[in-house]
Amino acid sequence: MMKFNVTILCSLALLISACSKPSSTHTASSSYADTAFLQDYSVKYHVDEKDAALWRVYANKEGKIQVLASTGLKQLHDGRFLYPGRVVADHTYRFMAAKNIVDMALCQGQFVYLGGHTIFSNAWSGRLHVEHQLDNPTAFAANDSLEFLVTNGHVLHFIRRHAVAWRGQVPEGGVLQVLGHPEDQSLFFLLAPEALYRFSAATNQLEKIHEGTDFTAFDIDVRKNQLVIGTADGYLRYGLAEGKQVGERQRALPWTEITAVQVIDGNSWFGTPKGAFSVKENGNITYYASKRWLPDDQVVAIAPGGDGTVLVLTRNGLGHICFKKMTLHEKAMYYEQQVRDRHIRNGFNATLTGMTDGDFSTGYLGDSDNDGLWTSLYLAAQAFRYATTGEQQALEHCMESLDAMARLYDITPVPGFPARSFERRGKGDTRHMLSDPERWQLAEHPDWYWKATTSSDEAIGHIFAFGVIAELVDHKETRDKAIRLIDTLMGHIVKNDYYLVDYDGQPTTWGKWNPEYVNGFPTTVGDRKLNSSNIIGMLQTAYHFTGKSVYKEKAFDLMDNHGYLENLMRPMSEIGKAPEGADDWSKLLSGSWNHSDDEMYFAGYWGLYRYAFNDTLKVKYKEAILDHWEAERPEKEGAWNIFTAITEIDTFDLDEAVWYLKEYPLDLVQWTVTNSHRKDITLLPPNFRNQTIETVLPPDELKISRHNANRFILDGGNNGAAENSAGDIWLFPYWMGRYLGVIQPPADEQTPYTK
């Protein structure tokens, strides 16, 4: 059962953060009060016997979960969040292996079994033992009065007081499912492929109450006094009081071929061959598909799991969907531990890769072209955390990752030029290094390689993180180190005429801010606006912390004499494809919107806005930032919504940012997900921004992606071959929101932090 102990993790985290500091000088016009919400996650169980067909699953009133399979009764072994358990044979009662059990149900919260000759149970001292007098029974239903309606596909037997009280014929087309009404003990319902029947135990009468087509499964919604009927093409509701179908058949669903129906706590759950989904009482749909949630997507049964959880039985196992009350801060503390457990490589914020089907023990910490960028965002997160809470642990994480960033500069032979990454030579698999000699270079130290061809997104990430540390981390050694690194990188760029110059003496492909290069693009090409915006923010940051006049002079020269202010102020509505006659490079870079550019823009906005040379420029920069944010709003990207709060705008989609933080899954494994088949989305025609549907899906229904990805991508993932770090994906926007004061600490952490 549930062994993912969020409570313990969060309690430990709260002991670490015993005090909190006022967020910043920024005064948010609105902020989110961090109260507990329901965080869902899944504990998965895989079946040992690959040839066993799984039929039913139930949890009794004590929480014992039992699965009925073609090979007998099964139980769950081990299993916790991110560490799957197994569905194994249940030998608790030895004699059960000899029973030919064809169906099971709950009665008074106890397991009751339909055998070849009897209905029986191990509860009630084993006293329940009724001969149903049917050959080859197939299905039955029970009520809490220990009455049963049994069928073998040809006839029906109603059993009362341990005896057959009524016999009848099976409806035409056979019986798919039998249910007893949970509150009215006198009523049973039968579902046939094209009709719905009601049996009254009070009058011993079987009557057809509704006709239809392609019925597959059903359940009783007691709160609404309705039957929820799944079909091969959507579902419908039958009102018991009205005696007719209520409303239209629902087809705007993740998938319309329904294989299982279960109403749990007022929410209607549906199984399909493409996963499960719940329809809440307000009509909102939550989709549970892919190995993030289930062993496979072929759902055969759904049942309540106790404590508000849901059991989703699939062809290959069981997904136990659990719901845990958490605050955003508790979620942050869980993610903090995730990062430290599996995602720190030589101080870098790294991905655990090379995994087999989500098994962490098979993975390794991989290097990345963007080690500096992903680490910059994690580094900024820890700086925001330290500035907000004063936690020594956050400072230690800052110092560790800043040291890794500093080594990017120390390990290359070019003064001021940072490596993308570095990796030990060792005896591991270094084939990718040897096969990519342009990027991987031998370091002076005999035990290391370093990665060349550093790009502009690395540079802006570095300057952003170093600026945040220099501004917010009141630890002299760390602050001075960040300022030195700002000066080191920007000194290199200015000295080399606004280029990043690699070991071969040539500018890297992307490290170019020179006017000849930037203004060589047509005004519609985004790189002209982006590179202008970034370099001005970088120069302002360098001047703000070093006081060196050269950085200010260079920035004004670019703005006044080379049109960089005009470039960066160009509205997003004017950014698009290169015009006819443009060069091939411009056409290549403007085929569609590049979402990596969004990450670079916003990282640069920190230095552009906060360290503006004067108020006049600051007003202009704010206009540019808000114009960009308006274009980004449909994606509901948590980081960019929160980032926009630096401008002190009255509204910045705070609700959407909190939605993003709440809905991001705890499971950050790169499972393959598919959404393009869904019937509840509206596809859009191809467009420049590659927005595929009208409304973006929740993060836990999409593939795991960083902030540089298009959140409208419907399909993707990597079959569980890697786990992303929460350091850049989630902790960065959360701690930035805490620092900016738009996300409050939990109510029990309101004590001001003081030095």
Side-chain angles (χ1 to χ4, degrees):
M1 282 193 60
M2 301 184 339
K3 296 182 181 177
F4 168 47
N5 203 328
V6 177
T7 304
I8 292 176
L9 285 176
C10 295
S11 297
L12 291 173
L14 293 175
L15 289 175
I16 294 171
S17 57
C19 51
S20 63
K21 181 180 181 178
S23 296
S24 71
T25 56
H26 172 82
T27 302
S29 59
S30 61
S31 63
Y32 169 71
D34 191 10
T35 55
F37 63 97
L38 285 179
Q39 175 68 59
D40 48 358
Y41 63 94
S42 177
V43 181
K44 290 162 287 189
Y45 301 84
H46 301 290
V47 66
D48 276 354
E49 303 172 76
K50 296 304 180 184
D51 58 344
L54 306 183
W55 294 340
R56 300 279 189 272
V57 62
Y58 288 100
N60 69 9
K61 63 182 182 180
E62 282 81 31
K64 162 82 172 180
I65 296 171
Q66 200 166 60
V67 174
L68 177 61
S70 58
T71 53
L73 290 174
K74 309 295 180 184
Q75 63 181 341
L76 306 183
H77 174 70
D78 202 7
R80 55 196 172 98
F81 177 56
L82 298 177
Y83 297 88
R86 295 181 294 141
V87 179
V88 300
D90 189 343
H91 300 301
T92 307
Y93 286 89
R94 292 172 294 168
F95 73 89
M96 295 292 281
K99 296 289 187 181
N100 179 28
I101 302 173
V102 297
D103 200 3
M104 65 183 294
L106 288 180
C107 186
Q108 298 180 12
Q110 303 286 5
F111 297 130
V112 179
Y113 309 100
L114 175 64
H117 301 287
T118 60
I119 297 170
F120 67 100
S121 176
N122 295 317
W124 309 293
S125 303
R127 293 179 185 273
L128 177 62
H129 189 90
V130 181
E131 292 188 3
H132 50 66
Q133 300 181 20
L134 285 172
D135 295 328
N136 302 315
T138 56
F140 81 127
N143 63 27
D144 285 347
S145 297
L146 299 181
E147 297 173 340
F148 309 96
L149 188 62
V150 195
T151 183
N152 64 357
H154 302 289
V155 296
L156 290 163
H157 283 186
F158 174 62
I159 298 171
R160 174 187 286 141
R161 300 188 186 93
H162 290 209
V164 177
W166 175 85
R167 292 175 172 84
Q169 293 297 311
V170 167
E172 183 179 351
V175 175
L176 298 172
Q177 191 178 346
V178 188
L179 288 176
H181 197 293
E183 293 186 350
D184 188 339
Q185 303 296 301
S186 68
L187 292 181
F188 289 82
F189 298 93
L190 298 87
L191 189 69
E194 296 185 345
L196 175 68
Y197 295 81
R198 176 169 54 205
F199 174 74
S200 171
T203 62
N204 287 342
Q205 288 185 327
L206 179 67
E207 59 178 325
K208 181 190 294 187
I209 59 175
H210 187 65
E211 292 184 342
T213 57
D214 299 325
F215 293 162
T216 56
F218 77 136
D219 196 22
I220 303 171
D221 187 339
V222 175
R223 295 187 188 183
K224 294 185 176 180
N225 196 27
Q226 295 175 346
L227 299 178
V228 184
I229 305 173
T231 77
D233 186 25
Y235 76 91
L236 57 91
R237 286 178 171 269
Y238 176 85
L240 292 172
E242 297 88 345
K244 62 180 181 179
Q245 180 175 327
V246 178
E248 299 296 322
R249 183 182 296 210
Q250 300 299 309
R251 293 184 175 90
L253 308 169
W255 195 243
T256 58
E257 183 184 349
I258 307 300
T259 57
V261 180
Q262 185 74 49
V263 180
I264 303 173
D265 296 330
N267 298 325
S268 298
W269 285 76
F270 299 91
T272 79
K274 294 184 180 292
F277 60 90
S278 71
V279 180
K280 296 179 173 57
E281 291 184 276
N282 61 8
N284 290 342
I285 294 176
T286 304
Y287 188 32
Y288 296 94
S290 82
K291 289 187 177 180
R292 178 180 298 152
W293 301 105
L294 307 172
D296 67 282
D297 285 344
Q298 288 276 355
V299 177
V300 297
I302 300 177
D307 296 327
T309 66
V310 177
L311 305 172
V312 181
L313 189 67
T314 74
R315 180 178 54 189
N316 295 325
L318 177 75
H320 192 173
I321 311 298
C322 305
F323 301 88
K324 179 74 178 179
K325 281 190 174 182
M326 300 179 76
T327 61
L328 288 180
H329 184 258
E330 288 171 331
K331 191 170 183 177
M333 291 300 101
Y334 165 74
Y335 280 143
E336 291 283 358
Q337 192 62 49
Q338 183 248 19
V339 174
R340 306 312 298 183
D341 283 347
R342 296 189 293 276
H343 293 284
I344 298 299
R345 182 185 72 83
N346 297 327
F348 290 125
N349 174 49
T351 298
L352 188 69
T353 191
M355 291 160 43
T356 300
D357 203 24
D359 183 348
F360 298 139
S361 68
T362 62
Y364 62 89
L365 288 168
D367 62 82
S368 164
D369 276 4
N370 296 113
D371 272 340
L373 175 58
W374 309 141
T375 303
S376 292
L377 298 185
Y378 173 64
L379 188 53
Q382 295 307 300
F384 288 133
R385 178 185 172 194
Y386 179 66
T388 304
T389 68
E391 294 170 18
Q392 181 66 24
Q393 184 187 72
L395 177 60
E396 291 170 359
H397 295 168
C398 272
M399 296 171 69
E400 177 187 34
S401 289
L402 185 61
D403 189 51
M405 298 289 286
R407 196 177 181 205
L408 291 173
Y409 294 82
D410 299 340
I411 202 168
T412 76
V414 182
F417 179 79
R420 286 180 177 270
S421 183
F422 53 78
E423 184 60 281
R424 197 180 297 276
R425 295 186 194 179
K427 295 183 179 180
D429 185 357
T430 57
R431 288 173 294 179
H432 66 295
M433 299 177 182
L434 299 176
S435 64
D436 191 5
E438 180 187 4
R439 288 189 176 178
W440 284 107
Q441 303 294 312
L442 294 173
E444 182 178 343
H445 191 289
D447 204 28
W448 293 90
Y449 292 96
W450 64 275
K451 187 178 281 191
T453 72
T454 306
S455 67
S456 53
D457 50 354
E458 297 290 299
I460 191 61
H462 291 205
I463 294 299
F464 164 60
F466 300 156
V468 170
I469 292 171
E471 179 184 357
L472 305 182
V473 177
D474 56 350
H475 180 266
K476 187 177 188 306
E477 178 184 350
T478 302
R479 183 176 185 274
D480 290 349
K481 189 173 189 177
I483 294 173
R484 284 198 304 273
L485 289 171
I486 293 171
D487 196 26
T488 297
L489 176 56
M490 294 310 299
H492 172 94
I493 291 172
V494 168
K495 177 183 177 182
N496 288 285
D497 202 17
Y498 307 112
Y499 290 110
L500 272 179
V501 176
D502 214 331
Y503 69 95
D504 58 2
Q506 297 300 313
T508 65
T509 300
W510 301 107
K512 300 175 180 178
W513 302 271
N514 181 277
E516 183 178 356
Y517 174 80
V518 171
N519 290 331
F521 291 113
T523 57
T524 57
V525 176
D527 286 61
R528 180 166 178 157
K529 173 181 171 69
L530 171 65
N531 288 25
S532 298
S533 178
N534 275 185
I535 193 63
I536 298 303
M538 293 160 72
L539 289 167
Q540 285 186 165
T541 302
Y543 174 73
H544 184 85
F545 291 108
T546 68
K548 293 184 178 180
S549 59
V550 63
Y551 296 127
K552 186 174 184 178
E553 292 166 1
K554 292 292 184 180
F556 274 108
D557 176 59
L558 291 175
M559 287 191 286
D560 294 341
N561 301 319
H562 298 282
Y564 276 36
L565 181 59
E566 179 184 352
N567 288 343
L568 72 85
M569 290 298 297
R570 185 163 290 110
M572 281 292 173
S573 60
E574 296 182 16
I575 303 301
K577 294 185 178 182
E580 291 292 332
D583 62 280
D584 291 341
W585 186 238
S586 295
K587 290 179 179 179
L588 177 66
L589 296 184
S590 62
S592 63
W593 185 254
N594 185 336
H595 292 265
S596 287
D597 290 355
D598 294 325
E599 187 161 44
M600 296 173 64
Y601 274 116
F602 277 94
Y605 289 157
W606 185 269
L608 189 71
Y609 184 78
R610 291 176 77 89
Y611 313 138
F613 291 129
N614 55 56
D615 289 342
T616 301
L617 285 173
K618 196 168 191 177
V619 170
K620 290 182 177 292
Y621 297 155
K622 179 176 181 177
E623 179 184 341
I625 294 170
L626 296 183
D627 173 70
H628 188 180
W629 169 69
E630 285 287 350
E632 290 299 307
R633 292 179 75 180
E635 292 200 39
K636 301 183 182 180
E637 221 292 346
W640 308 154
N641 277 323
I642 291 173
F643 224 118
T644 304
I646 67 172
T647 66
E648 301 181 75
I649 184 177
D650 290 337
T651 58
F652 53 92
D653 289 350
L654 176 61
D655 289 345
E656 307 290 19
V658 171
W659 171 83
Y660 172 95
L661 294 173
K662 288 181 177 180
E663 293 293 327
Y664 222 93
L666 290 176
D667 182 347
L668 298 186
V669 174
Q670 291 180 13
W671 299 113
T672 298
V673 302
T674 305
N675 288 289
S676 55
H677 63 274
R678 294 174 63 160
K679 311 296 185 182
D680 61 337
I681 59 177
T682 302
L683 295 174
L684 298 179
N687 54 80
F688 179 69
R689 290 191 64 86
N690 290 327
Q691 182 174 337
T692 56
I693 58 178
E694 288 183 346
T695 303
V696 70
L697 295 171
D700 61 356
E701 297 177 16
L702 300 170
K703 70 183 184 74
I704 298 300
S705 58
R706 290 185 158 104
H707 302 296
N708 65 336
N710 178 4
R711 295 200 60 249
F712 282 98
I713 293 176
L714 298 175
D715 305 335
N718 197 17
N719 296 315
E723 183 194 44
N724 280 90
S725 167
D728 54 293
I729 290 176
W730 200 94
L731 292 175
F732 164 56
Y734 171 76
W735 285 115
M736 179 168 55
R738 284 287 304 273
Y739 170 74
L740 293 174
V742 299
I743 298 175
Q744 298 177 17
D748 58 353
E749 292 183 54
Q750 298 287 352
T751 305
Y753 165 79
T754 55
K755 282 281 186 179

